[in-house]
Amino acid sequence: MDHPLDKPFWSALVGVQANLASGSGRARRYLPDVSAIGGVADASDGALADLAKLVPKDGALTVPQAFAIGCPAGATQEVMMAWQLLDSNDGPQATPSAEILPLSEPDWPAMMALATLTQPGPFMLRTPLMGHYWGVKRDGVLIAMAGERMRLEDYVEISAICTHPDYRGAGLGTALCLHVRDAIRARGQTPFLHAYQSNTGAIQLYESLGFVKRTEIYANHFSAAD
């Protein structure tokens, strides 16, 4: 039987996050102003035909799966390999910090600006609808954040871990990652995250925080063919 994390975005988009989904049949994606990420139920021709309808004419769509899929008609495909890492329920304890505060809709423009500057991964103005986000501010300016992206019944992805370049090296990203991890654990769910295999520094950090590699992920980037 397939594990829901083998096709994580499909599992989220037909489940807990169905209200943020578009598409039909065997392919789904997040609404365009929420995230440029989607998922398929399997690698069948039918799934690729449904996926073809979701690849934007401008921009790209990323489909991360634990299995290889082909390229839908009318699109080009680039594949990058990533790791999916799962919380081992071990790792260091989080240090409570009064600096870490929940972020809400008035913070969205600042979150978008920080994500645009630091490029932690796909992030759009309404990405915060996907889950809870926390941040650190100095003099009223958001300088670091992290939050939840993909949500399933039993698993929640930690994402958008980023720190303004002027404040890196102070451990803010680690503190925020552990804060989000503990918030997910407190709800009885298991945290997980993704990192490109080329990002060895991030992988080493996540492993030091108690995350273990669960499976390889094919991150398929689709764009409309010329």
Side-chain angles (χ1 to χ4, degrees), residues 10 23-28 39-55 61 63 69-75 222:
W10 168 263
S24 60
R26 307 191 68 75
R28 298 288 190 281
V40 292
D42 51 48
S44 66
D45 290 343
L48 292 181
D50 292 331
L51 181 62
K53 304 169 188 174
L54 302 178
V55 177
L61 181 67
V63 179
I69 61 174
C71 184
F222 298 113

Side-chain angles (χ1 to χ4, degrees), residues 82-218:
W83 284 111
Q84 184 182 89
L85 297 101
L86 198 62
D87 180 32
S88 66
N89 207 31
D90 198 357
Q93 296 294 310
T95 301
S97 171
E99 278 197 309
I100 297 177
L101 301 171
L103 301 175
S104 59
E105 189 167 353
D107 297 302
W108 288 6
M111 296 166 70
M112 184 70 195
L114 182 61
T116 300
L117 176 67
T118 59
Q119 297 294 313
F123 197 94
M124 298 177 178
L125 185 60
R126 294 211 307 153
T127 295
L129 289 175
M130 299 174 78
H132 304 285
Y133 283 78
W134 290 267
V136 174
K137 298 178 182 179
R138 297 276 170 83
D139 298 322
V141 177
L142 183 67
I143 62 167
M145 69 175 180
E148 303 166 354
R149 182 169 64 176
M150 191 188 341
R151 289 184 292 118
L152 291 73
E153 289 288 347
D154 298 320
Y155 303 93
V156 178
E157 182 194 26
I158 301 174
S159 184
I161 306 167
C162 56
T163 302
H164 190 286
D166 292 346
Y167 295 91
R168 287 175 181 162
L172 295 176
T174 296
L176 281 160
C177 183
L178 293 176
H179 184 90
V180 180
R181 179 203 68 182
D182 288 355
I184 296 169
R185 285 179 177 177
R187 300 197 301 264
Q189 298 167 305
T190 300
F192 71 104
L193 41 75
H194 292 106
Y196 285 114
Q197 292 185 4
S198 59
N199 194 352
T200 55
I203 293 167
Q204 290 172 358
L205 171 62
Y206 298 147
E207 289 179 327
S208 75
L209 299 181
F211 290 85
V212 296
K213 293 172 181 170
R214 177 188 170 270
T215 187
E216 287 190 305
I217 292 289
Y218 295 80

